[in-house]
Amino acid sequence: MNKILSLFLFFSTITFSQTIRYEGSVVDDTKTPLEMANVMAVNQANKAVDAYAITNDKGKFVLNLKVNSTYIIKFSYLGMKNKEVTVTTKSENITENIVMEAGGIQLDDVEIVREMPVSIKGDTIVYNADSFKNGTERKLEDVLKKLPGVEVNADGEVEVEGKKVTKLMVEGKDFFDGDTKLGVKNIPADAIDKVQVLRNYNENSILKGVENNQDNLAMNIKLKSGKKNFWFGDATAGIGVGHTDERYIINPKLFYYSPKYSINLISNFNNIGELPLTINDYFKFTGGFRSMMAKGGSSFNVATNDLGIALLRNNRAKEIETQFGATNFSYNPTKSWSLSGFGILSTSITDLETVSSVNFLRPNSGEVSSTENRQDIAHQKSNLGLFKLSSTYKPNSNFQLDYDILTKYSKQDENNSLLRQSIDNSGTTTENITTFKDQNPISVNQNLSFYNTINDKNILAFEMQHLYQEEDPFYNANLETDPFVIPGILPGAPAILNVLGYDFEEQRTNLNQNRFVQTNKLDAKLDYYYVLGPKSNINVTLGNTYSYQNFDSSIFQILDNGNVNNLSQSQNTNDVNYIFNDAFLGLHYKILSGKFTLTPGVSFHNYSMNNEQLGSNFKQNFNRVLPDFFALYQIKKSESLTYNFALTNNFTDISKLAEGYVLNGYSSLSRGYRELENSIAQTHTLRYFKYNMFNFENIYANLSYLRTVDAVKSRATILGVNQSSVPFNSPFADESISGMGGYGRSFLKRYKASANVRLNWAKFNNIQVNPVNNSEILITNESFTQSYTFKASTNYKNWPNLEIGYEYSINDYPNSKFINEKPFARLDYYFLKSFSFVSEYEYNHYYNSDKSSDNEYDFLSASLIYQKTKDSKWEYKISATNLLNTTSLNDDSFGQFSTRTSQYNVQPRYIIFSFKYNL
């Protein structure tokens, strides 16, 4: 690591020693400083852009220019005449002030914006992609990582200025409804001309001036002229080299964009661990549907009744085979009507091996009461499907009608065999357990909305969204022991309390459960905006949320002779119908006063709920007033401070109201409580942001405080390593404080550095029941997690480029502290005008505070690509993953009653030879 840092500093020293500073300020003819004027230095010897800058709030700029060179310095500013100055550098710094004259937009203004590596126009930041490429880039992700102020994480999520990009477009058309991962991992780098970051983004221009969109970010990719109206893309095929098992990858991608329509085709077939879409991605994929009722002050989220099928860690497992296909289209039948949609199909077969240890905590002591050590072997099959069709009709700038329908389905199953060792006061037991999980959920989400600007004073917006969802998880657990049989614990109870009532005289306990959950949910709201003037408006909202849900479940036992023992007692079955309705009226007033934007608001709610089970109805009906407040202090054009406050009513869905037992796992049993009430959450969020284009400095900080009263918590009984729980409304408040901040800087066109920190503290309350005397103990636990990341990188055209970094994370739980130290580095080099070499390395030192758990592991990958010229159709590549043949990685988690640490097996070393044909 020291050698890498020395090399990084060496390159920096060379660059600094060969430059001088050309600086000054840009003003108009009244001597008023011009903020965000574009300044660019063109070297007259090779016509290259050697330096560029954007003026700060005082009109200042600084350029680092080569000595003994002649430059044309170009100045541009929207609404001003362009200006050019010729400068010949020697060895001394130069200071010069520039006066620009008012004038209309010139044709060559467009040319200057095109050549500027970075420019700003209103709320849009424009990056010229070629200014940052060095020849090793193959995908959009490779380009984005080199742009100042832009970060891409391992999951393909893009952040700009510390905010997550929520929509990705190509030529103004949604790319798979804005999913950034599919875009950054597949769009070819050589097709990209511009990257536009759209701040304060609103999909509907009609509402842009009357709503607060400060947290909305979108990204639009502009294509090179040669990629428009032509098919472009590539097709890759590869095979494993030197492996006992056959390894392969087939990955064709095709794209077509024209003003009238666009088509994207992506496919990937491989058994080397590439997952274009993980199960986790699938469940997060919203298809562009917004949380339209967020402004209403209520939260009624439909829970996912899945079985907790294990998700991959960083797309790594012992074995992964994937078949993936996706298409996305847009079509404009007329100028006012557009159609778009996508279809995604994915199949994956995955083998996982995990060694884990779960420590159950003694109430309020931080001590371990029992331990479960596990060795899991799981085999998964997943079939995922996503389909969406959208229509937008906009005959003029004052009217828009939208309709969307999104269908999601999946078929997943998992066979798991595990060896469990249980350690508690009664001693140590070991048993073999097999489980089977199967689930086939389907959902259909529809959205209808229209927006109408009646006149300059009056705007109407209507939105309606309907969700239909079916879930049918099936679970089987085959154990040697009887997990839910409790020895005589209560006065007057039988010597053995059989919780489920099954036959525990069998050699093995074979438990099964069927579940079926059906949901119909309709959200509708009408917004009326009355514009008082250019700086204020009043918003009146009428809204309603209606949900009808049905929950059925049953548990049965398969006996040793194959017969079925239906555990049909009332405590083992569920047949629940639940109706929820929230009718509300909201009032908001938005005003701009100087540098402040203020939006106080309040909503008036009438809630009614009815759940029918066990032969009776339980009803609730009440009213509530919920305030909210938004404030923006626009310190400068590129510096702001934002505050958000909201009081929210949070409601649980049917899954926590059903009073019959539900198997959550072979050692976990739960049932609901029909008289649960809502929780009340108080949220405060403070956000600071500064983006200084003068020195390409990016600063952001975010602090949030959440206090939840009457939170839905668990009353748990833990016997050894088995657990049963019932929800209840806690009279004690849960609290959490989370903060994040970052500092980034790009300078001299060649260097980029950043530092980020993420902190989260949480306090939560539960009740643990003593199985001996049935007494209740209030448990208050706190956790504190920290993550610190530092990175620095170079971006040369003709030198090797380095990125080095260090990540330090701490997970501090009630009975243990887990630490991971991760230095990492990336080397890429384009050389001999034909070769690209890329290598990535990360080292992990994972341990707990007393070093009883201590593991070191690292990952190294490398690839060498040959392409005769940049215009050649064929590329040849040799690549290797996990070159050091690391066998496993570590992680940990905290579950309020227990802590868990695990070691997770990963795929071995793969060496792949592939070739790619570029269209």
Side-chain angles (χ1 to χ4, degrees):
M1 181 60 68
N2 289 334
K3 292 181 179 179
I4 294 175
L5 183 60
S6 298
L7 186 59
F8 181 85
L9 295 174
F10 172 71
F11 286 139
S12 304
T13 303
I14 292 175
T15 305
F16 275 110
S17 64
Q18 295 177 340
T19 61
I20 61 101
R21 287 164 61 94
Y22 175 75
E23 58 187 321
S25 59
V26 180
V27 299
D28 62 15
D29 49 14
T30 66
K31 305 302 181 183
T32 301
L34 298 179
E35 182 180 2
M36 295 188 181
N38 299 314
V39 186
M40 179 177 59
V42 180
N43 192 319
Q44 293 304 287
N46 54 16
K47 303 301 180 183
V49 178
D50 277 2
Y52 60 93
I54 294 176
T55 57
N56 66 5
D57 59 309
K58 297 179 180 179
K60 292 184 177 181
F61 67 90
V62 175
L63 300 176
N64 290 281
L65 306 179
K66 295 177 182 177
V67 298
N68 302 319
S69 301
T70 300
Y71 290 92
I72 297 293
I73 312 298
K74 298 185 177 184
F75 299 87
S76 65
Y77 188 83
L78 192 64
M80 296 286 180
K81 292 181 180 179
N82 291 340
K83 189 160 187 174
E84 294 185 358
V85 176
T86 301
V87 173
T88 300
T89 63
K90 295 183 181 179
S91 57
E92 298 84 14
N93 294 332
I94 301 173
T95 301
E96 187 171 13
N97 295 325
I98 305 298
V99 179
M100 300 189 70
E101 298 177 3
I105 300 175
Q106 307 294 321
L107 288 177
D108 53 354
D109 284 341
V110 179
E111 181 69 15
I112 286 182
V113 171
R114 186 187 69 82
E115 292 179 351
M116 276 288 291
V118 184
S119 60
I120 291 183
K121 182 178 180 181
D123 286 335
T124 302
I125 305 174
V126 182
Y127 297 94
N128 181 33
D130 284 345
S131 299
F132 299 93
K133 295 177 184 177
N134 61 26
T136 62
E137 302 82 11
R138 291 298 181 270
K139 295 171 289 189
L140 172 60
E141 175 182 29
D142 302 324
V143 177
L144 295 180
K145 287 181 177 179
K146 295 175 180 176
L147 304 183
V150 180
E151 300 287 343
V152 183
N153 66 22
D155 293 326
E157 295 175 331
V158 183
E159 287 188 354
V160 181
E161 305 164 353
K163 301 178 186 176
K164 186 179 296 185
V165 173
T166 57
K167 177 175 284 292
L168 178 67
M169 299 175 285
V170 178
E171 291 293 324
K173 305 177 189 297
D174 288 357
F175 191 87
F176 288 91
D177 264 320
D179 178 71
T180 58
K181 180 173 183 177
L182 286 176
V184 301
K185 299 290 186 183
N186 290 283
I187 297 174
D190 62 1
I192 302 166
D193 182 32
K194 299 283 187 302
V195 176
Q196 298 176 330
V197 176
L198 312 175
R199 298 182 291 183
N200 305 322
Y201 179 74
N202 194 313
E203 291 189 70
N204 193 309
S205 59
I206 293 174
L207 302 181
K208 186 172 178 64
V210 294
E211 290 193 333
N212 298 313
N213 309 299
Q214 281 73 18
D215 290 332
N216 295 348
L217 270 183
M219 182 173 283
N220 182 46
I221 306 301
K222 301 290 290 183
L223 300 174
K224 292 182 179 295
S225 57
K227 303 298 182 180
K228 300 175 186 177
N229 300 309
F230 294 98
W231 285 97
F232 67 94
D234 55 66
T236 300
I239 59 171
V241 178
H243 301 297
T244 304
D245 299 327
E246 291 185 358
R247 299 294 161 186
Y248 67 89
I249 180 170
I250 302 171
N251 183 203
K253 294 170 284 190
L254 287 172
F255 309 90
Y256 184 89
Y257 282 87
S258 72
K260 195 173 183 66
Y261 66 93
S262 68
I263 300 175
N264 303 303
L265 300 168
I266 301 171
S267 61
N268 195 323
F269 308 88
N270 75 87
N271 64 351
I272 62 172
E274 283 195 10
L275 273 174
L277 192 74
T278 67
I279 297 174
N280 201 25
D281 294 331
Y282 167 84
F283 285 115
K284 291 192 302 182
F285 205 103
T286 64
F289 279 80
R290 301 175 299 278
S291 179
M292 55 175 280
M293 305 302 282
K295 193 169 63 175
S298 297
S299 174
F300 180 84
N301 295 317
V302 177
T304 300
N305 288 278
D306 59 49
L307 295 167
I309 289 180
L311 300 178
L312 300 182
R313 297 161 176 82
N314 300 326
N315 296 351
R316 291 174 175 146
K318 183 181 179 182
E319 184 76 22
I320 311 173
E321 184 170 5
T322 301
Q323 299 177 29
F324 175 85
T327 182
N328 173 222
F329 82 93
S330 67
Y331 175 59
N332 298 324
T334 66
K335 290 184 178 180
S336 57
W337 183 30
S338 64
L339 295 170
S340 63
F342 65 81
I344 299 174
L345 292 171
S346 177
T347 298
S348 62
I349 300 174
T350 309
D351 292 328
L352 304 99
E353 288 190 8
T354 309
V355 177
S356 60
S357 179
V358 179
N359 289 323
F360 292 89
L361 306 179
R362 202 178 302 279
N364 299 323
S365 69
E367 298 177 357
V368 175
S369 63
S370 57
T371 299
E372 179 188 49
N373 297 318
R374 293 172 39 171
Q375 296 181 19
D376 292 80
I377 299 176
H379 179 75
Q380 298 176 355
K381 293 181 180 179
S382 297
N383 296 286
L384 311 175
L386 288 157
F387 304 94
K388 185 178 180 187
L389 179 66
S390 301
S391 171
T392 297
Y393 177 66
K394 191 172 184 179
N396 53 61
S397 60
N398 296 325
F399 182 84
Q400 182 171 324
L401 177 66
D402 297 329
Y403 173 75
D404 309 277
I405 179 170
L406 170 70
T407 300
K408 300 171 67 174
Y409 84 90
S410 67
K411 178 176 175 55
Q412 302 163 255
D413 62 67
E414 176 183 285
N415 286 286
N416 186 297
S417 63
L418 64 100
L419 178 66
R420 175 171 78 157
Q421 181 188 64
S422 305
I423 305 171
D424 56 25
N425 292 333
S426 62
T428 300
T429 60
T430 302
E431 65 175 318
N432 290 297
I433 300 172
T434 61
T435 65
F436 173 72
K437 303 174 182 179
D438 179 77
Q439 55 192 30
N440 305 282
I442 183 171
S443 68
V444 180
N445 206 333
Q446 299 180 80
N447 180 75
L448 176 68
S449 55
F450 77 81
Y451 311 90
N452 185 27
T453 302
I454 301 172
N455 51 44
D456 293 342
K457 295 288 187 182
N458 301 280
I459 300 172
L460 280 178
F462 174 76
E463 297 175 291
M464 181 171 63
Q465 189 167 300
H466 177 254
L467 169 68
Y468 176 78
Q469 180 171 286
E470 287 185 359
E471 297 174 283
D472 61 345
F474 170 78
Y475 179 70
N476 166 255
N478 194 315
L479 305 92
E480 294 180 5
T481 59
D482 302 318
F484 307 119
V485 173
I486 303 175
I489 55 176
L490 302 178
I496 295 179
L497 180 62
N498 188 346
V499 177
L500 297 179
Y502 53 80
D503 185 348
F504 56 86
E505 299 297 329
E506 302 293 297
Q507 290 184 1
R508 293 185 67 89
T509 303
N510 191 328
L511 292 177
N512 303 265
Q513 179 178 255
N514 288 306
R515 271 192 274 169
F516 181 77
V517 187
Q518 185 182 68
T519 300
N520 271 286
K521 181 170 175 278
L522 180 66
D523 296 309
K525 70 182 180 79
L526 176 67
D527 278 297
Y528 168 67
Y529 298 89
Y530 180 68
V531 181
L532 299 171
K535 294 186 177 182
S536 62
N537 67 75
I538 296 173
N539 170 215
V540 180
T541 305
L542 289 174
N544 195 86
T545 293
Y546 174 84
S547 173
Y548 174 80
Q549 294 182 292
N550 173 258
F551 184 102
D552 293 320
S553 71
S554 61
I555 301 175
F556 62 94
Q557 178 188 13
I558 298 179
L559 304 178
D560 293 344
N561 61 11
N563 292 334
V564 174
N565 176 22
N566 289 309
L567 306 177
S568 55
Q569 298 92 331
S570 60
Q571 77 264 25
N572 298 329
T573 60
N574 283 294
D575 183 6
V576 187
N577 296 313
Y578 178 51
I579 296 174
F580 171 86
N581 195 80
D582 170 23
F584 69 90
L585 168 68
L587 298 173
H588 289 83
Y589 174 61
K590 179 180 178 181
I591 182 170
L592 283 70
S593 178
K595 295 184 176 183
F596 288 92
T597 300
L598 304 175
T599 310
V602 64
S603 54
F604 305 89
H605 293 258
N606 174 257
Y607 299 105
S608 62
M609 290 149 282
N610 178 37
N611 76 73
E612 179 186 349
Q613 59 179 310
L614 304 174
S616 63
N617 292 330
F618 178 77
K619 298 182 179 181
Q620 298 182 66
N621 194 298
F622 62 94
N623 301 313
R624 184 147 293 161
V625 178
L626 300 173
D628 60 90
F629 181 69
F630 170 86
L632 168 67
Y633 175 35
Q634 195 68 49
I635 304 169
K636 299 174 185 176
K637 285 185 179 180
S638 57
E639 185 178 12
S640 63
L641 184 66
T642 306
Y643 169 72
N644 264 299
F645 163 77
L647 198 64
T648 307
N649 267 12
N650 297 319
F651 295 86
T652 183
D653 79 341
I654 196 171
S655 60
K656 284 188 169 60
L657 302 174
E659 296 201 340
Y661 280 116
V662 173
L663 287 172
N664 300 314
Y666 64 84
S667 61
S668 178
L669 190 68
S670 69
R671 60 184 180 88
Y673 178 54
R674 67 187 306 180
E675 297 183 19
L676 283 179
E677 300 176 353
N678 64 285
S679 64
I680 302 174
Q682 180 185 145
T683 307
H684 301 264
T685 302
L686 189 65
R687 178 182 175 83
Y688 173 77
F689 154 72
K690 180 180 180 181
Y691 193 62
N692 189 346
M693 295 296 288
F694 171 68
N695 55 12
F696 300 99
E697 181 182 65
N698 174 39
I699 304 172
Y700 66 89
N702 194 37
L703 183 65
S704 296
Y705 171 73
L706 172 63
R707 177 183 171 87
T708 305
V709 180
D710 291 331
V712 176
K713 308 298 293 183
S714 292
R715 178 182 283 107
T717 302
I718 298 175
L719 187 66
V721 294
N722 299 320
Q723 174 180 324
S724 62
S725 63
V726 180
F728 74 103
N729 283 104
S730 172
F732 303 96
D734 285 359
E735 295 178 283
S736 67
I737 300 174
S738 60
M740 59 181 293
Y743 176 84
R745 177 82 182 270
S746 296
F747 49 98
L748 294 179
K749 284 182 62 180
R750 305 302 183 198
Y751 304 95
K752 181 179 178 181
S754 64
N756 300 281
V757 58
R758 295 176 185 269
L759 308 171
N760 185 74
W761 170 85
K763 182 182 76 173
F764 35 82
N765 303 278
N766 291 282
I767 288 177
Q768 187 165 329
V769 179
N770 187 333
V772 176
N773 56 20
N774 207 33
S775 61
E776 296 183 349
I777 305 171
L778 174 67
I779 301 174
T780 300
N781 283 326
E782 297 182 14
S783 67
F784 184 36
T785 60
Q786 308 165 60
S787 175
Y788 307 90
T789 305
F790 307 91
K791 292 192 294 186
S793 61
T794 66
N795 190 10
Y796 290 99
K797 296 286 186 181
N798 301 311
W799 285 86
N801 285 295
L802 281 172
E803 178 186 65
I804 57 174
Y806 179 77
E807 182 179 325
Y808 183 75
S809 59
I810 305 172
N811 294 334
D812 194 352
Y813 304 137
N815 78 315
S816 56
K817 180 186 294 186
F818 297 98
I819 300 167
N820 190 57
E821 301 178 61
K822 185 175 77 172
F824 55 90
R826 174 188 167 94
L827 171 69
D828 64 82
Y829 186 26
Y830 180 70
F831 59 100
L832 299 179
K833 298 183 179 180
S834 298
F835 293 92
S836 298
F837 177 76
V838 178
S839 181
E840 296 184 0
Y841 174 78
E842 70 173 54
Y843 165 84
N844 292 266
H845 183 198
Y846 177 89
Y847 56 95
N848 60 2
S849 53
D850 62 5
K851 293 297 181 77
S852 60
S853 176
D854 195 329
N855 191 25
E856 299 180 38
Y857 56 92
D858 50 4
F859 292 95
L860 174 65
S861 65
S863 63
L864 179 66
I865 299 174
Y866 171 76
Q867 184 180 16
K868 187 174 182 179
T869 67
K870 288 188 176 182
D871 296 326
S872 297
K873 298 292 186 180
W874 290 96
E875 290 183 24
Y876 303 91
K877 179 180 180 181
I878 185 77
S879 61
T881 59
N882 195 5
L883 268 168
L884 303 176
N885 216 22
T886 298
T887 58
S888 63
L889 56 83
N890 292 81
D891 71 355
D892 56 77
S893 61
F894 180 49
Q896 300 196 21
F897 293 102
S898 61
T899 61
R900 180 180 187 272
T901 180
S902 63
Q903 195 169 25
Y904 181 83
N905 285 7
V906 299
Q907 289 182 303
R909 178 194 303 120
Y910 291 148
I911 300 176
I912 306 295
F913 173 74
S914 62
F915 57 89
K916 182 169 72 172
Y917 180 77
N918 299 296
L919 279 173

